[in-house]
Amino acid sequence: MSNVFPSLLSLIGETPLVEIKNIDTGLCKLFVKMESHNPGGSIKDRTALYIINQAERSGLLKPGGTIIEATAGNTGIGLALVGILKGYRVLLVIPDKMSLEKVTHLKALGAEVIFTRSDVGKDHSEYYHNIAEKLFKEIPGSFYADQFNNPANIMAHEETTGPEIWQQTDGKIDGFVCASGTGGTIGGVSSYLKEKNNNIKIYLSDPRGSALYNYIQNGELKSEGGSITEGIGSSRVTKNFATAKIDGAFSIDDKESLPIIFDLIKNEGLSLGTSSGVNIAGAIRLGKELGPGKTIVTILCDKSDKYNSKLFNKKFLQEKDLPYPNWL
Ligand code: PMP
């Protein structure tokens, strides 16, 4: 038998790297890592698997236990999948601005979902992290995945995503760009790549409304504007983001990233989630900074199917004064 796998879990990782040739990438050779190939449809399956495996090893998660997490959706989907295969209850706290598609997917997988307000900050009792922490204290036999602080999240990318990028490019990589939600991807990948070659430039691509761009550029947590992207950007520096080895940052407006998403559909047949547009916009900007012919790698975290109700909703986009696909 060939190409046969013992379970869905062994399909996590080893995602393809694809060259983008049919959109204007400026001066760089642009390669993208197709994380939608993971079974839960996003990069966060890697994090979910590493966090659960580590919790089992350390004894923090016991057979039949409850996994609790604060999530924008994708980590929740990963945890729900791993939870099914390993027999855990999964309880997730999600801010109410996240797309209906991700929530429907989670419920279909049998995860329990608690919605909370998106418009409250980290000191408010209804902030999604604070609710998750409270549930963890209240529910016996529960485990808090805590992807923003849990080092297993970083390890997932230091041991899998980073080495895959290095091998797939034969070490011929000049720059790596990606956005940060928990900081797991940029933390783990930057540590691995800088260890291999300290000259590789690592840049953060940050959506408007996030404070991380100003933090990297000026050392000050300050934000302006907003974004319809999900799962990226932050108003604070979490433990995992703090580990990232970052050379610089770009602030990306939805008006810059959305046309890239629409061009990728029309010219490459790639229909991607909102954070992928921010990542590609940042990669193109880094290509311009580094000069002609440099090889830049970025991450395509998930696909547009998780955001159809926003990305292909002309009324929603028009109301926000954002570009929409001209074929809608
Ligand atoms: N893009 C999407 C769509 C995500 O769901 C996430 C995770 N929140 C990220 C990017 C950012 O990844 P990380 O948490 O590793 O920083």
Side-chain angles (χ1 to χ4, degrees), residues 125-143:
S125 61
E126 288 177 71
Y127 187 57
Y128 66 142
H129 294 241
N130 298 340
I131 295 182
E133 266 176 47
K134 187 161 171 277
L135 288 167
F136 168 57
K137 285 181 192 142
E138 287 170 1
I139 298 175
S142 66
F143 161 70

Side-chain angles (χ1 to χ4, degrees), residues 120-127 130 235-236:
V120 290
K122 62 181 185 341
D123 297 324
H124 197 284
S125 61
E126 288 177 71
Y127 187 57
N130 298 340
S235 56
R236 63 204 178 109

Side-chain angles (χ1 to χ4, degrees), residues 4 38 41 51-52 71 73-74 94 125 181 199 215 241-242 306 320:
V4 176
N38 288 301
I51 285 180
I52 292 181
T71 173
N74 277 331
I94 300 190
S125 61
N199 295 323
Y215 177 74
F241 181 75
K306 293 181 191 239
K320 295 193 174 310

Side-chain angles (χ1 to χ4, degrees), residues 41-44 47 71-75 102 128 147-148 153-154 157 178-188 204 229-233 240-241 273-276 279 299-303 306-307:
S42 91
I43 191 162
K44 301 301 298 204
T47 298
T71 173
N74 277 331
T75 303
K102 284 192 285 193
Y128 66 142
Q147 56 175 328
F148 291 80
N153 179 12
I154 296 279
H157 300 289
C178 82
S180 173
T182 64
T185 311
I186 198 159
L204 172 77
T229 56
E230 292 181 26
I232 55 173
N240 281 339
F241 181 75
T274 48
S275 72
S276 301
N279 283 353
I299 302 280
L300 305 185
C301 309
D302 60 9
K303 289 176 80 172
K306 293 181 191 239
Y307 312 92

Side-chain angles (χ1 to χ4, degrees), residues 17 28 40 42 50-51 89 214 232 234-236 243 247 263 266 275 295:
L17 191 73
C28 69
S42 91
Y50 259 67
I51 285 180
R89 176 187 174 204
N214 266 308
I232 55 173
S234 181
S235 56
R236 63 204 178 109
T243 69
D247 295 297
D263 280 354
K266 230 169 50 184
S275 72
T295 295

